[in-house]
Amino acid sequence: METTLKRPVSPSAPAPAGTGLPSLDAVLQGLRLGDNVVWQVDSVEDYLPFVEPFVAQALAAGRRLVYFRFARHAPLVREGRGARVHRISPAIGFESFTAEIHRVIEEAGPGAYYVFDCLSDLAADWYSDLMLGNFFMVTCPYLYDLDTVTYFALQRDSHSHEAVDSIRSTTQLLLDVFRRNGTLYVHPLKVWARQTPTMYLPHTLEGDAWRPLTESAVVSEVLADLADRRLDAVARHDLWDRKFQQAKDVLDAYRAGIAPESEARELFEQLLRMMLTRDERVAELATGCLDLGDLLAIRRRMIGTGLVGGKAVGMLLARAILARQSPRIRERLEPHDSWFVGSDVFYTYLVRNGGWRARRDQRSPGSFLEGAAKARERILGGVFPDFILRQFAAMLEYYGQSPIIVRSSSLLEDGFGNAFTGKYDSVFCANQGAPAERLAAFLAAVREVYASAMSEEALRYREHRGLLDRDEQMAILVQRVSGAVRGSLFFPQAAGVALSYNPWVWSKEIDPHAGLARLVFGLGTRAVDRADDDYTRLVALNAPSRRPEASLDDASEHAQRRVDVLDLEANRFASLTLEEVVRRAPDVPLDLFATPRRGAPPILTFERLLSATPFVEDLREVLSTLARAYRFPVDVEFTLNVLPGGQLRLNVVQCRPLQVKEGGTIVAPPTDLAADAVYLESRGPVVGQSTHARVDRVVLVDPDAYEGLATQDRYEVARVIGRVTRLEPAGTRRILLLGPGRWGTSTVALGVPVTFAEIQRVSSICEIVKARMNVVPDVSLGSHFFNDLVEANMLYLAVYPDRPGYRLAEEALRAEPNRLPELLPDDARLADVLRVVDFPRAGDARALWLNASCIDQRVLCYLAPASAHARPAGEPVSAA
């Protein structure tokens, strides 16, 4: 409960409010401002005799009365009586529903009176008693703080003990209402801060008066009869469990030829929305490759209730599609035994650890970052309910000491349109030690994933994508790490990212529709998290021997040198040199992955894997099969292990729609340009959609001036770039960002350490690489950074000013008026390093044009009349 009830209360204090039934007021010592009253009933008809007098008294006293209408039962308050009726559908989701309820309460202000429909309908819509309890635990204290008086109803014996206990512990009054032989009874179970000798006895209505049952024989007879008529203990199970038990019974009956297929199909569709997805495109995919038995199998490996999240759904669908549509790949797939922590557990954790209000405030563009840091602290220091801890412990018993990875799997993650790549955390657990140590490490990993849902990067991504007001609950996918124990280390032999469409055609021999892989030795983290201290192997899947590097010397220079592993001795994730891996795991087979060299350590080229095994053919089939099923390009994370007999085992651990747009052709640039009209010329790399468009603003980090900056000043340049790009609303200008080395690097010696949130409104980025720089542009295909570029439809370029065929007019750009001191006066001291140049220039009607072809791998940025190169009708001014 987020708000402790601290207001001092005297047992003899006068009651400022009432039920509208004077005799019942006498029993309860009246109602007080702040009271939440829960009526536990067998049917809504037994709630009405108490709602009507409460409403009549509130309106007669001139109170503001609000009625929340959301249930399927008949209305409790008639229209036109003077109450404000707010109709809200629980189908919009827990977070949106609760935020709207709180908005209305805040708008009504202190002292209002409220009537809620029967809360049990919320559990029916959300398929979760857990969320019903969470809703009450965040709403009751809010009402209490505003000195309101509120009526709720709850169907008795319809909800789990955990849900009822959370309501009982939070509310001020809990009253049991029942009938026996046509007689209505009220049995107060909790009346906070009030006490009389007979208050907690059952009361019956005699005439207009509520009389306590004081004779033991009568009380025991009434209550014993009530107990006999109540449902058995199974009815106290969560609504979720009852629904799945029903599904199991129907599936058994269908397989036995008793139940019709239509009944099984109807339950499949219900469970699909309960557990997998509410996105229609994803649901259509799931309907074609899963059945009711598959959903029940997922449930057997699920902790808590709610949705399993986008990352889990993507993995499950990919494996199901491959198993059904590609028998050859099905035989090569490594089995999975993943577990799923439902999204409802996340909200339960937030509610019970005081994080709900910060979460609610994050729905507003004006306050989405306020309170986030404090909420993260609460999450990292929070505790889990005992019933969840017991399920976590049982899961860890199943995995034993096998390494696991705790992965984010939020509702919106990995869907059509919003990938959230790299925005949320995933945490490896080496999973060594005693059971208590392993549980503690797992809980810390879950907390870290939960806390990442409130990181600034994740929240800015949601704000930029217009998702702040969408339900974004965090489920968790727990996977056994693919690989084997080798000495004191654990890792797969290879892993990586594969794209069904290759957006970088570095050779005429490459077919972009054949796909591409970003391949590493060891854990796949070096493939998805761009490593500034290392390189990966890029493989065009129709021409695997055609490398982006110009020569074998380049290939050797830019080969992978470090390997990510799980160190079982240290019980942690580690990045080691290849030489150290070989020393600590001398039996690791390298012949498929490394090329020996005379007098030097071997280098990871993957040549024999690509040429002497069916790996490339298998990966192409995986990608083409999934892309056909999705009817969309896909982005797949995978691992590869070679069994002792030489058989390959692929493990598809993640699959998401790839938001890439195909390159396309564009008009050729002019051939008669004056030399001083050309600002930039490049022969690649060019990654992204071919572009012919005006550039409204150039933001240049001067390579020479940047080289002389101290480390702290380099970080400050990155922050100023973020301020420049956010000066105007997204879409106002097309911005070309130019800077030395790698954009988004975490190593300031290698480039400019911006975050993606700081440059997400930019249309094109260009990396400047001069001969003296000890760095090459890192296209990073398949990495989180690359996926951000793709999702924003941002063009990636590189220019080597010292090489033939490349040009950067640095002196011309330095001579242009720098608008930085005018736009950001407080940052004017960096004007020699950071230049902001707008086009068209004063006195020059020519526009700056960017013509970039990903097919031809060429770029030309030049001045030309705007009228001669008019922007096509309807073209947006910004990819953002």
Side-chain angles (χ1 to χ4, degrees), residues 474-651:
M474 180 62 74
I476 284 178
L477 170 63
V478 182
Q479 292 178 301
R480 187 190 299 273
V481 179
S482 176
V485 177
R486 306 182 189 281
S488 59
L489 306 177
F490 187 100
F491 57 93
Q493 285 154 296
V497 181
L499 314 178
S500 66
Y501 179 82
N502 180 358
W504 183 17
V505 184
W506 62 78
S507 166
K508 295 291 186 182
E509 296 180 16
I510 293 173
D511 175 8
H513 295 280
L516 171 135
R518 180 173 163 92
L519 194 60
V520 297
F521 188 71
L523 295 172
T525 43
R526 300 188 86 76
V528 296
D529 298 323
R530 186 171 65 165
D532 286 327
D533 60 345
D534 212 350
Y535 299 90
T536 59
R537 175 68 197 267
L538 290 182
V539 183
L541 293 179
N542 78 304
S545 62
R546 179 67 62 181
R547 300 188 61 138
E549 297 84 10
S551 67
L552 181 60
D553 289 340
D554 285 341
S556 302
E557 179 66 24
H558 303 133
Q560 178 187 353
R561 289 177 170 77
R562 301 188 68 83
V563 182
D564 288 352
V565 299
L566 293 175
D567 187 329
L568 302 182
E569 284 184 352
N571 197 17
R572 63 178 178 84
F573 174 91
S575 293
L576 309 176
T577 63
L578 178 61
E579 290 78 4
E580 189 171 0
V581 169
V582 172
R583 179 179 60 79
R584 294 183 59 178
D587 61 337
V588 60
L590 283 177
D591 58 317
L592 289 180
F593 309 99
T595 299
R597 293 186 297 175
R598 287 185 180 179
I603 60 170
L604 289 167
T605 61
F606 302 93
E607 293 301 337
R608 289 200 64 241
L609 175 70
L610 300 175
S611 61
T613 76
F615 167 70
V616 171
E617 181 184 357
D618 289 350
L619 200 54
R620 285 189 65 172
E621 184 167 343
V622 165
L623 293 171
S624 62
T625 301
L626 294 175
R628 281 195 307 271
Y630 270 76
R631 293 179 296 197
F632 208 86
V634 294
D635 169 357
V636 171
E637 290 184 25
F638 66 90
T639 63
L640 176 72
N641 290 285
V642 184
L643 301 184
Q647 306 97 324
L648 301 185
R649 283 293 179 268
L650 272 171
N651 190 7

Side-chain angles (χ1 to χ4, degrees), residues 161-177:
H161 289 289
E162 288 84 2
V164 175
D165 286 347
S166 64
I167 292 172
R168 180 194 298 266
S169 64
T170 311
T171 192
Q172 285 73 43
L173 286 85
L174 178 62
L175 308 174
D176 210 11
V177 179

Side-chain angles (χ1 to χ4, degrees), residues 82-328:
R84 294 173 55 192
V85 180
H86 286 273
R87 290 178 175 82
I88 307 174
S89 171
I92 64 176
F94 171 84
E95 187 171 343
S96 297
F97 179 88
T98 306
E100 178 61 14
I101 292 281
H102 286 208
R103 185 195 66 77
V104 173
I105 292 170
E106 184 177 12
E107 186 180 87
Y113 280 33
Y114 294 90
V115 173
F116 279 72
D117 274 347
C118 183
L119 294 177
S120 296
D121 263 35
L122 295 180
D125 275 291
W126 295 333
Y127 303 103
S128 172
D129 287 351
L130 195 58
M131 298 307 282
L132 168 63
N134 288 337
F135 171 76
F136 195 84
M137 290 182 73
V138 298
T139 303
C140 171
Y142 195 46
L143 291 162
Y144 174 86
D145 286 344
L146 290 172
D147 286 334
T148 69
V149 181
T150 307
Y151 271 26
F152 302 92
L154 188 71
Q155 285 190 331
R156 183 177 33 250
D157 296 331
S158 296
H159 304 288
S160 66
H161 289 289
E162 288 84 2
V164 175
D165 286 347
S166 64
I167 292 172
R168 180 194 298 266
S169 64
T170 311
T171 192
Q172 285 73 43
L173 286 85
L174 178 62
L175 308 174
D176 210 11
V177 179
F178 59 92
R179 292 182 186 272
R180 179 173 181 266
N181 299 329
T183 301
L184 190 64
Y185 294 83
V186 172
H187 185 188
L189 303 179
K190 177 183 179 182
V191 183
W192 181 64
R194 278 147 280 186
Q195 173 70 51
T196 71
T198 59
M199 179 180 288
Y200 292 101
L201 292 173
H203 290 69
T204 185
L205 187 61
E206 296 180 1
D208 293 331
W210 289 94
R211 305 293 185 192
L213 303 183
T214 57
E215 295 185 5
S216 61
V218 176
V219 175
S220 59
E221 180 181 353
V222 169
L223 295 183
D225 180 61
L226 178 64
D228 290 342
R229 288 188 286 113
R230 286 182 173 176
L231 298 172
D232 59 33
V234 174
R236 300 308 299 271
H237 290 173
D238 192 288
L239 182 149
W240 175 276
D241 292 319
R242 298 201 302 273
K243 180 62 70 174
F244 275 94
Q245 183 59 52
Q246 179 190 0
K248 182 180 182 303
D249 294 342
V250 167
L251 181 61
D252 291 343
Y254 168 69
R255 288 171 173 171
I258 301 171
E261 182 182 5
S262 59
E263 191 173 355
R265 174 57 56 182
E266 181 181 351
L267 275 168
F268 170 83
E269 292 173 356
Q270 290 181 26
L271 299 191
L272 186 69
R273 290 186 61 80
M274 285 171 56
M275 184 171 61
L276 251 63
T277 184
R278 290 163 196 162
D279 181 284
E280 294 304 324
R281 294 179 70 177
V282 178
E284 180 184 357
L285 260 177
T287 302
C289 63
L290 299 175
D291 57 27
L292 190 55
D294 294 322
L295 300 188
L296 289 170
I298 296 168
R299 171 58 186 145
R300 287 192 290 272
R301 295 185 183 277
M302 191 166 179
I303 293 171
T305 61
L307 294 160
V308 299
K311 191 172 290 180
V313 170
M315 180 272 294
L316 291 165
L317 293 185
R319 299 181 68 91
I321 290 167
L322 293 170
R324 293 192 178 213
Q325 298 184 18
S326 180
R328 188 174 70 87

Side-chain angles (χ1 to χ4, degrees), residues 22 490 663 790 822:
F490 187 100
V790 165
E822 170 194 347

Side-chain angles (χ1 to χ4, degrees), residues 802-852:
D802 306 316
R803 293 186 183 181
Y806 293 83
R807 180 182 177 189
L808 178 62
E810 293 179 61
E811 291 304 323
L813 286 170
R814 291 186 185 114
E816 298 287 357
N818 185 357
R819 295 199 64 201
L820 179 67
E822 170 194 347
L823 296 172
L824 296 172
D826 292 344
D827 299 314
R829 71 179 186 85
L830 292 173
D832 290 338
V833 181
L834 187 63
R835 309 196 67 82
V836 180
V837 181
D838 285 349
F839 294 88
R841 302 172 298 179
D844 188 343
R846 291 178 299 174
L848 186 67
W849 291 90
L850 178 66
N851 186 291

Side-chain angles (χ1 to χ4, degrees), residues 311 346 349-350 359 362 369 372-373 375-380 406-410 413 420-427 444-462 472-476:
K311 191 172 290 180
F346 172 65
Y349 186 81
L350 282 186
R359 185 68 173 178
Q362 288 165 6
L369 290 178
R376 286 197 300 273
E377 290 178 12
R378 286 177 179 257
I379 290 172
L380 292 172
V406 181
R407 310 188 75 187
S408 69
S409 184
S410 80
E413 196 171 0
F420 282 86
T421 50
K423 301 299 177 290
Y424 301 135
D425 289 344
S426 293
V427 182
V446 173
R447 291 186 185 102
E448 186 173 335
V449 174
Y450 281 174
S452 70
M454 295 198 181
S455 71
E456 179 174 349
E457 187 175 9
L459 292 172
R460 286 198 179 278
Y461 177 90
R462 289 179 63 192
E472 174 61 339
Q473 302 174 40
M474 180 62 74
I476 284 178

